Amino acid sequence: MKVLDLRYEFHNELDQIYGKDEVDSFFCITMEHYLGLNRFKLAMAPDQLIKTEDTKVITDVLIQLKKHRPIQYILGQAEFFGLKFMVDEHVLIPRQETEELVALVIAHGKTLKSDRKRLNILDIGTGSGCIAISLAKNIPYANVYALDVSKDALVVAKENAKRNNAAVEFINANILDEDSWNLNYANSDLDILVSNPPYVRHLEKASMKPNVLENEPGLALFVENDDPLLFYRKITDFATQKLKKGGQLFFEINQYLGAETKQLLHKENFSQITLRKDLNGNDRMLTAEKI
Ligand SMILES: C[S@@+](CC[C@H](N)C(=O)[O-])C[C@H]1O[C@@H](n2cnc3c(N)ncnc32)[C@H](O)[C@@H]1O
């Protein structure tokens, strides 16, 4: 089959579901991933013949996309902060908004650089390890710890740390269980605590797309409608114990609950509580300093 015909097949089968631009992007990502043909090469050689076995692999991608499986799970890979991460159904696909959170943490980390001391950073709910690994790569003078309740997610995160040559210490723990708070990590001496915890209420499912709902792990996404800030409350309590004075807390938050989440921090020992918008103009990040 020619490149041209395969591209036509993608559009013919998928445009109605995803729209022309996204399908074009799927096609290019797939061709680059399996055949090393980038956007430019594809445009220059529309008549290039694709071998039968390769056509089969690429058609299989099309079939899975038609069933709403995210392209990142199909290819087993996602990009985040300029790094490649292995992903499977045990971990959330890293999001662009989270890159903004990481950029904030790195900018803060740079202000703390000192010749004498290493920083201690903890990422709560690490999933694929995207936050912790990006921080370890970009703040080389930090000890980075990352925890998750999911053992399956930690298998993926550890593999990602290996592939990206990043030093991160992973911990299997449930942040909602206070008995696990005294594990032996950076005890009471954290400079930075960062978290993108589960924050989507079940009631928000109605507005979510099937590729997310049917594929990404519920454990990573959802909280009860009547207690949507559970993780923020627990992590804030944890932070009051474990962050050092002047230490910084970085949260990714539910865009619809910015004011309520901010209010939570006002009740605790924090100052400089700042709600920040993402590139789409939604309340997405909350930062605060431990008093
Ligand atoms: C929204 S995902 C974030 C994943 C990753 N940090 C990211 O930004 O792409 C939340 C993560 O929290 C983990 N998690 C859920 N409940 C938890 C708990 N009780 N204790 C620790 N981690 C938990 C999930 O397994 C999931 O990996």
Side-chain angles (χ1 to χ4, degrees):
M1 207 181 229
K2 289 180 185 173
V3 165
L4 181 81
D5 299 324
L6 257 181
R7 192 193 284 269
Y8 175 81
E9 280 290 301
F10 263 63
H11 282 297
N12 191 36
E13 297 283 343
L14 302 173
D15 277 7
Q16 279 218 322
I17 308 174
Y18 296 102
K20 206 169 165 6
D21 289 349
E22 197 165 3
V23 173
D24 222 50
S25 161
F26 288 156
F27 180 70
C28 293
I29 293 171
T30 305
M31 295 298 272
E32 172 135 38
H33 183 84
Y34 288 110
L35 307 179
L37 293 172
N38 63 27
R39 202 174 271 275
F40 178 70
K41 284 187 188 155
L42 291 171
M44 293 305 284
D47 291 326
Q48 181 174 331
L49 276 175
I50 308 297
K51 287 190 222 143
T52 311
E53 62 260 36
D54 292 336
T55 302
K56 263 184 80 181
V57 172
I58 289 158
T59 306
D60 185 55
V61 173
L62 191 164
I63 292 166
Q64 294 188 62
L65 283 168
K66 220 172 151 181
K67 293 182 186 156
H68 301 277
R69 191 156 182 242
I71 187 84
Q72 294 89 343
Y73 288 153
I74 300 172
L75 304 181
Q77 190 174 291
E79 283 216 10
F80 183 86
F81 221 78
L83 301 169
K84 286 194 176 15
F85 287 85
M86 168 194 157
V87 289
D88 67 16
E89 273 83 351
H90 299 299
V91 300
L92 192 84
I93 297 167
R95 303 294 205 269
Q96 218 175 349
E97 301 88 277
T98 310
E99 291 182 323
E100 296 182 48
L101 180 74
V102 167
L104 270 183
V105 179
I106 292 171
H108 177 69
K110 287 198 170 138
T111 68
L112 302 179
K113 187 169 179 356
S114 129
D115 292 336
R116 284 170 291 117
K117 242 193 108 289
R118 291 180 68 78
L119 300 181
N120 286 324
I121 300 179
L122 175 65
D123 169 28
I124 295 180
T126 198
S128 63
C130 61
I131 296 177
I133 291 167
S134 304
L135 294 178
K137 296 294 285 182
N138 287 281
I139 313 179
Y141 43 92
N143 302 320
V144 181
Y145 304 85
L147 74 80
D148 206 290
V149 73
S150 161
K151 288 189 173 134
D152 291 326
L154 288 177
V155 170
V156 175
K158 282 178 188 165
E159 176 60 26
N160 280 325
K162 205 159 100 190
R163 288 187 186 187
N164 285 297
N165 197 21
V168 176
E169 191 174 319
F170 292 101
I171 303 134
N172 182 221
N174 177 357
I175 197 64
L176 302 179
D177 172 9
E178 294 186 21
D179 290 342
S180 74
W181 290 5
N182 281 324
L183 287 175
N184 194 19
Y185 46 89
N187 230 344
S188 309
D189 198 22
L190 291 171
D191 297 279
I192 294 175
L193 202 162
V194 56
S195 185
N196 173 19
Y199 61 64
V200 183
R201 289 162 293 178
H202 289 286
L203 61 85
E204 291 172 56
K205 279 181 178 170
S207 62
M208 292 170 76
K209 293 193 178 150
N211 57 346
V212 177
L213 271 181
E214 290 164 17
N215 292 279
E216 298 203 70
L219 179 67
L221 288 166
F222 296 111
V223 284
E224 296 304 323
N225 293 338
D226 59 1
D227 195 8
L229 301 182
L230 170 66
F231 281 93
Y232 296 91
R233 227 176 31 246
K234 282 286 181 186
I235 294 170
T236 302
D237 286 351
F238 177 86
T240 56
Q241 290 184 26
K242 305 288 179 186
L243 260 183
K244 64 167 67 155
K245 197 167 167 252
Q248 200 83 10
L249 180 59
F250 293 85
F251 275 139
E252 181 171 320
I253 61 161
N254 184 323
Q255 66 187 82
Y256 307 112
L257 300 171
E260 294 88 329
T261 318
K262 188 173 178 193
Q263 191 53 35
L264 202 79
L265 290 181
H266 274 297
K267 287 191 217 141
E268 304 275 352
N269 297 330
F270 291 92
S271 66
Q272 317 283 335
I273 306 165
T274 313
L275 199 53
R276 296 166 195 267
K277 293 194 187 300
D278 62 22
L279 288 175
N280 294 316
N282 297 317
D283 286 338
R284 184 64 65 197
M285 289 154 282
L286 189 64
T287 59
E289 184 177 313
K290 167 94 177 287
I291 298 168

